[in-house]
């Protein structure tokens, strides 16, 4: 039988956490899983030994009675074929126990099953299967029937400052700085009311990001919470701080306490390209007459989600002449927005919508030459150029929040400026800004 199995041995007390993995080889011989030949991965052993903290003290401990065996699932392998080889006979019971959390009949190739053994016991005490990066499903086989629980990964957090500059693409710069695609989306969302990452980021644009980084067993996993970000683009500087108000609302705020979030999005499409601008004197391509173009057209494939640019109430949802399938939203104040030629309408007349809600999908219904979104903005019922309209800006933080916000800002501003190092964790926190407290 050709198996590559990595054995991780841990003292009993450490089993419940994912930290400080301690490895020992002594137990291999005494494990009574005789059918299997174990290849202990020397690299993994050195690796983990290096990060276990009090090394000398650990060496003095007696070998653990417990061992963890890692089985990497191969393509086409099912639980019913794997588990009996490790001494588990009632696979059905394992599947049943896991059912509230995961369908174990559909385990994924490439993922690991971690089986915990006790010396002289011929079957595992438990089986662990990662549900996602942060959660592991553990099936306890010491109960009858087996029981399941979900364990959360306990990350250590460390503050980190990243500085990255766009040379070729934002993705390249971000990935080489240890960010993930999801982090780029987070950045784009912070700045989405101020600029469009698809069309407005210039080569040479630079980001400074203060975040937690998440570590598992001493290994960097991914960036955690973002606390402060700065973008320098085209000679413009954008700085924002994450702040949690005393009532628990979270948001991003400029240094003066004004919200980065605004009541209206800059565009109803996340990835937008203007194909035809607002033009009250346009020559219409289909009607072949001079006919005003009272909206802005965005080219996008059929099915692209269309977002409500602001909170409001739906006043049209359905067929509307040359507009085809259309949604119109009444917003607070004098503003209304309209979205035409949709392939699908996802809201109903009279429905309340929030900024960012998907209200329909791009299509080519009505008087249209191909898939695109025709987007209109009216102010007091008068058509206006959607790309030039001055929407209201956000409410600033209330005066009662400003002192606490100033502390958060003054903590991070010098870090962004590069004039101060990262603050030491636990050095006097503002209520609600417990980010630093997690740095244990
Ligand atoms: Zn149009």
């Amino acid at each position: 039988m050709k198996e590559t199995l990595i054995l991780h041995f841990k003292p009993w007390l450490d089993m419940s956490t994912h930290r400080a993995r301690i490895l020992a080889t002594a137990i291999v011989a005494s494990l009574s899983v005789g059918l299997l030949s174990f290849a202990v991965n020397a690299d993994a052993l050195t690796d983990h030994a290096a990060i276990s903290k009090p090394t000398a003290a650990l060496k003095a401990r007696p070998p653990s009675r417990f061992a963890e065996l890692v089985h990497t699932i191969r393509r086409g392998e099912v639980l019913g074929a794997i588990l009996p080889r490790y001494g588990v006979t009632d696979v059905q019971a394992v599947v049943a126990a896991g059912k509230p959390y995961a369908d174990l009949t559909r385990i994924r190739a490439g993922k690991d099953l971690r089986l915990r053994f006790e010396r002289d016991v011929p079957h595992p005490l438990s089986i662990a299967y990662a549900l996602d990066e942060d959660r592991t499903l553990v099936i306890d086989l010491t109960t009858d029937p087996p029981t399941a629980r979900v364990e959360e990964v306990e990350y250590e957090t460390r503050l980190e400052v990243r500085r990255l500059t766009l040379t070729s693409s934002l993705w390249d710069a971000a990935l080489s700085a240890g960010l993930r695609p999801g982090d780029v989306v987070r950045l784009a969302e912070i700045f989405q009311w101020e600029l469009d990452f698809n069309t407005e980021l210039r080569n040479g644009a630079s980001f400074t990001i203060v975040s937690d980084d998440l570590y598992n067993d001493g290994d960097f996993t991914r960036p955690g919470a973002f606390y402060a970000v700065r973008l320098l683009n085209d000679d413009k500087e954008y700085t924002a701080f994450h702040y949690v108000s005393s009532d628990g609302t979270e948001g991003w705020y400029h240094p003066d306490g004004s919200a980065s979030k605004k009541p209206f999005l800059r565009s109803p499409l996340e990835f937008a390209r203007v194909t035809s601008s607002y033009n009250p004197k346009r020559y219409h391509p289909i009607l072949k007459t001079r006919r005003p173009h009272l909206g802005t057209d965005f080219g996008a494939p059929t099915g692209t989600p269309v977002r409500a640019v602001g909170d409001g109430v739906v006043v049209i949802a359905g067929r509307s002449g040359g507009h085809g399938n259309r949604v119109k939203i009444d917003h607070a104040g004098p503003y209304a927005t309209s979205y035409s030629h949709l392939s699908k309408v996802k809201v109903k007349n009279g429905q309340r919508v929030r900024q960012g809600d998907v209200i329909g999908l791009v299509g080519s219904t009505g008087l249209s030459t191909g898939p695109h979104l025709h987007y209109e903005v009216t102010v007091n019922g008068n058509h206006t150029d959607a790309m030039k309209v001055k929407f209201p800006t956000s409410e600033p933080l209330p005066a009662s929040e400003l002192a606490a916000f100033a502390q958060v800002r003054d903590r991070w501003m010098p870090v962004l400026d590069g004039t101060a190092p990262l603050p030491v964790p636990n050095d006097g926190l503002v209520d609600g800004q417990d980010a630093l407290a997690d740095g244990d």
Side-chain angles (χ1 to χ4, degrees):
M1 195 180 299
K2 195 169 156 251
E3 299 273 355
T4 306
L5 299 168
I6 303 168
L7 286 169
H8 290 175
F9 296 87
K10 309 178 180 190
W12 174 246
L13 286 173
D14 285 345
M15 292 302 288
S16 60
T17 77
H18 293 248
R19 295 185 190 184
R21 228 175 242 162
I22 294 109
L23 306 157
T25 49
I27 202 167
V28 176
S30 61
L31 249 182
S32 54
V33 241
L35 284 172
L36 303 165
S37 63
F38 296 118
V40 175
N41 183 322
D43 287 344
L45 290 173
T46 340
D47 227 299
H48 287 87
I51 56 122
S52 51
K53 286 162 198 166
T55 312
L58 294 174
K59 274 182 186 156
R61 286 193 201 177
S64 169
R65 293 174 50 77
F66 301 96
E68 189 173 89
L69 181 155
V70 180
H71 176 101
T72 302
I73 300 156
R74 278 174 291 190
R75 192 175 290 276
E77 262 192 326
V78 293
L79 217 54
I82 300 167
L83 293 186
R85 280 151 52 196
Y86 298 106
V88 180
T89 45
D90 195 350
V91 178
Q92 294 274 19
V94 171
V95 171
K99 198 156 190 180
Y101 310 102
D103 181 359
L104 292 176
T105 60
R106 307 179 65 170
I107 51 174
R108 291 235 308 276
K111 290 180 74 172
D112 290 337
L113 288 172
R114 309 177 89 87
L115 306 144
R116 208 174 103 242
F117 286 90
E118 184 177 7
R119 191 192 310 171
D120 302 330
V121 179
H123 55 78
L125 305 181
S126 68
I127 303 164
Y129 178 71
L131 296 175
D132 53 43
E133 273 183 322
D134 300 334
R135 298 176 311 140
T136 300
L137 173 62
V138 180
I139 308 286
D140 185 347
L141 301 178
T142 63
T143 59
D144 188 19
T147 46
R149 65 178 186 274
V150 173
E151 288 183 355
E152 300 270 334
V153 175
E154 286 178 45
Y155 289 110
E156 302 148 50
T157 59
R158 296 180 204 168
L159 282 170
E160 185 65 78
V161 191
R162 287 190 171 74
R163 296 177 204 279
L164 46 127
T165 303
L166 261 77
T167 45
S168 52
S169 81
L170 175 58
W171 297 96
D172 290 347
L175 296 181
S176 58
L179 297 178
R180 296 184 174 195
D183 300 319
V184 176
V185 173
R186 281 204 276 170
L187 282 175
E189 283 172 355
I190 294 168
F191 294 111
Q192 68 183 319
W193 295 275
E194 289 160 320
L195 82 167
D196 176 5
F197 270 33
N198 296 293
T199 55
E200 292 174 278
L201 272 189
R202 299 273 180 274
N203 219 11
S206 69
F207 289 90
T208 308
I209 303 154
V210 182
S211 72
D212 268 340
D213 273 359
L214 304 183
Y215 286 80
N216 184 9
D217 273 359
D219 296 327
F220 170 69
T221 304
R222 65 173 190 271
F226 285 5
Y227 298 122
V229 292
R230 174 173 290 163
L231 165 60
L232 273 170
N233 184 53
D234 214 13
D235 292 332
K236 280 208 193 100
E237 186 183 285
Y238 306 86
T239 300
F241 302 95
H242 185 255
Y243 178 71
V244 185
S245 296
S246 47
D247 69 356
T249 44
E250 292 182 37
W252 286 88
Y253 297 89
H254 300 129
D256 66 358
S258 62
S260 129
K261 179 180 170 143
K262 299 201 169 38
F264 290 90
L265 293 171
R266 298 182 79 259
S267 162
L269 298 180
E270 204 162 2
F271 300 99
R273 181 172 50 91
V274 174
T275 50
S276 175
S277 297
Y278 178 81
N279 179 358
K281 294 178 186 152
R282 183 187 62 156
Y283 183 77
H284 196 278
I286 292 181
L287 299 176
K288 307 218 184 294
T289 59
R290 221 161 256 296
R291 191 177 149 138
H293 187 228
L294 299 177
T296 303
D297 290 348
F298 295 100
T302 298
T304 304
V306 177
R307 309 176 295 178
V309 295
D311 297 358
V313 178
V314 175
V315 292
I316 294 176
R319 281 272 164 191
S320 178
H323 287 276
N325 291 325
R326 178 191 192 191
V327 172
K328 187 176 178 187
I329 300 171
D330 239 347
H331 303 284
Y335 305 99
T337 55
S338 159
Y339 314 79
S340 306
H341 310 311
L342 304 173
S343 60
K344 189 157 197 176
V345 170
K346 296 241 179 198
V347 287
K348 292 197 167 65
N349 215 332
Q351 186 178 330
R352 289 207 153 269
V353 290
R354 305 294 303 265
Q355 182 183 71
D357 285 353
V358 175
I359 53 169
L361 305 177
V362 168
S364 188
T365 54
L367 214 51
S368 165
T369 49
H372 77 285
L373 176 72
H374 173 90
Y375 169 56
E376 292 180 4
V377 175
T378 54
V379 181
N380 291 315
N382 301 313
H383 284 93
T384 312
D385 186 342
M387 297 293 99
K388 291 186 180 151
V389 63
K390 288 264 184 281
F391 281 128
T393 52
S394 308
E395 294 283 306
L397 278 168
S400 57
E401 297 285 342
L402 285 178
F405 171 72
Q407 286 195 43
V408 171
R409 176 196 62 205
D410 296 347
R411 177 185 294 275
W412 302 125
M413 189 71 108
V415 178
L416 291 175
D417 290 342
T419 57
L422 282 165
V424 181
N426 290 334
D427 60 347
L429 295 166
V430 186
D431 266 356
Q433 313 300 316
D434 55 357
L436 295 164
D438 293 337
D440 74 11

